[in-house]
Amino acid sequence: MRILTVSHFFAPHGGGIELVAGHLNRELVAQGHDTQWAAAREGALPDLGATRPVGLTCVNWLERLTGLPMPIPTPAAIRRLWRAVAASDAVIVHDALYVSSIVALIAARRLRKPVLLIQHIADIPFSNRLLRSLMAFANTCVTRPMLRGADHVVFISATVRDLFADVRFRSAPQLLFNGVDTNLFHPVALKRDETILFVGRFVEKKGLSVIAALARMRPDLRFLLVGRGPIDPTKWQLSNVSVLPQQTPATLANLYRQARLLLLPSIGEGFPLVVQEAMACGLRILCGTDTASADPEARSWLAHVMIDLADPQQTATRVAATIDTLPCVPPPRAMADHAASHYSWPVMVSAIVSALSR
């Protein structure tokens, strides 16, 4: 089957959605499909292996101003995306709110191509009131109509699925968790240090303000932040905060195995891939309550607190109190076993292809 994937960026941008799109494309190729991937072009097109990139020229001023990755395709890019949809047998769209997602779904409907929408996130309770209002408006006027318009819908989080439970879908939506490469991400008996690890984009919604407040509040704790983005944690000038750029999966796996804790005080998430990878490596996790509810069967293994980015100081106080109560021993092996048995790229892709083939 000729399958076109549409996401806002390619994997090198570093966000969770585009990383998931990359994993799915590799597995689609492994299962014998002919794949193209359309996304915003940032400089030279990335090497996607057997998947052919369809680079879309976009303007991205919104991310520079707010941290929101919201590229807007040019008219020529929209025409190119339409042609890519026309040349495909089926279309997979990642998340509803992006302009390229909207164009791809409209094109697929007009051209009678089956389209499957993977909805990663739901509401994002920004600290800025205007952004909160815009997000609520967008979910009402864009996300819900997109969910109604897609032939098939996949949610990667029970939290996100439940928020949109009242939508009238064309077919029953599926809950399919992102996969984890257990050849890389699995427990290894290494001596853990006292590092509190963060992995993700350096943007507001990931809770960087909470981590900064916590690091100032608790100089006895040592933090390692891995990622990139418009926020620069080195400017905090805190001696207990170290920063690394994006790392290879193999290096990340070792970081998960050596750290004391993965801290992800984020909002508006689906089920972040870093949480699933950390689970597979046997690392204790502290995240927001909504994130911890993404997989109901895993919730008991995840420490969680309510995250309020409008009050990072108070949220940091809650996080610090929770850290102080966490056991010194690693989580039960059952957590890593659950990740290995429930989070599978081949299973996810097989279910997606089955839906598109109906």
Side-chain angles (χ1 to χ4, degrees):
M1 188 185 301
R2 295 172 301 172
I3 299 177
L4 171 69
T5 291
V6 180
S7 65
H8 56 327
F9 287 107
F10 292 112
H13 189 74
I17 292 175
E18 48 268 42
L19 291 175
V20 168
H23 282 293
L24 293 179
N25 269 304
R26 285 189 289 275
E27 184 57 36
L28 284 165
V29 170
Q31 294 190 17
H33 299 283
D34 181 5
T35 59
Q36 289 192 94
W37 183 358
R41 179 170 186 161
E42 297 178 289
L45 286 173
D47 180 4
L48 303 178
T51 296
R52 297 184 303 282
V54 180
L56 305 177
T57 302
C58 297
V59 294
N60 193 27
W61 55 267
L62 196 58
E63 184 172 25
R64 290 192 293 272
L65 289 176
T66 68
L68 271 177
M70 197 66 69
I72 301 172
T74 63
I78 290 173
R79 291 192 294 271
R80 188 169 194 208
L81 177 56
W82 198 284
R83 290 194 297 270
V85 173
S88 69
D89 296 320
V91 180
I92 299 172
V93 173
H94 285 270
D95 237 63
L97 279 181
Y98 302 108
V99 175
S100 55
S101 298
I102 298 167
V103 171
L105 190 140
I106 292 172
R109 299 300 304 167
R110 293 278 182 89
L111 297 169
R112 300 180 181 235
K113 308 284 184 176
V115 56
L116 182 143
L117 172 60
I118 303 177
Q119 189 61 29
H120 295 257
I121 64 170
D123 195 23
I124 303 177
F126 291 104
S127 57
N128 182 288
R129 182 179 299 176
L130 176 60
L131 287 178
R132 284 200 309 274
S133 299
L134 286 173
M135 187 71 194
F137 175 81
N139 270 334
T140 299
C141 298
V142 179
T143 303
R144 289 175 182 275
M146 288 279 286
L147 292 170
R148 289 195 298 268
D151 295 300
H152 309 281
V153 172
V154 165
F155 293 107
I156 54 89
S157 157
T159 308
V160 178
R161 177 199 61 188
D162 294 347
L163 185 71
F164 294 113
D166 60 332
V167 171
R168 296 181 63 182
F169 300 97
R170 289 176 176 266
S171 59
Q174 297 185 76
L175 177 63
L176 299 175
F177 297 117
N178 294 326
V180 169
D181 182 356
T182 52
N183 291 320
L184 282 174
F185 300 102
H186 55 266
V188 172
L190 296 177
K191 183 179 179 181
R192 293 192 179 273
D193 56 33
E194 289 301 304
T195 300
I196 295 176
L197 178 67
F198 168 90
V199 179
R201 290 271 298 158
F202 295 164
V203 293
E204 179 195 358
K205 75 181 286 270
K206 293 291 185 178
L208 271 293
S209 60
V210 174
I211 296 175
L214 178 62
R216 293 188 182 99
M217 181 187 302
R218 293 291 298 271
D220 58 309
L221 300 177
R222 186 157 61 91
F223 300 85
L224 174 60
L225 279 57
V226 180
R228 67 171 184 146
I231 296 174
D232 183 0
T234 63
K235 293 183 177 178
W236 302 344
Q237 297 185 324
L238 295 171
S239 60
N240 60 335
V241 176
S242 301
V243 180
L244 287 176
Q246 283 180 259
Q247 300 294 301
T248 65
T251 301
L252 272 183
N254 283 328
L255 291 174
Y256 292 140
R257 296 183 187 114
Q258 294 170 4
R260 170 190 178 186
L261 176 73
L262 177 74
L263 175 61
L264 191 65
S266 55
I267 57 170
E269 299 275 24
F271 198 14
L273 194 55
V274 297
V275 171
Q276 296 173 261
E277 292 170 347
M279 287 175 61
C281 290
L283 175 59
R284 193 170 294 282
I285 296 155
L286 174 54
C287 58
T289 298
D290 285 347
T291 299
S293 303
D295 177 359
E297 292 184 37
R299 182 184 170 107
S300 63
W301 295 307
L302 307 182
H304 54 90
V305 299
M306 290 301 299
I307 304 296
D308 180 5
L309 296 191
D311 191 350
Q313 194 70 26
Q314 188 58 43
T315 301
T317 299
R318 290 195 293 272
V319 170
T322 302
I323 289 174
D324 290 339
T325 64
L326 292 177
C328 295
V329 296
R333 175 64 191 235
M335 180 182 76
D337 291 343
H338 176 85
S341 61
H342 286 71
Y343 308 148
S344 165
W345 296 118
V347 169
M348 186 180 189
V349 164
S350 294
I352 287 171
V353 170
S354 176
L356 289 170
S357 301
R358 291 187 200 131

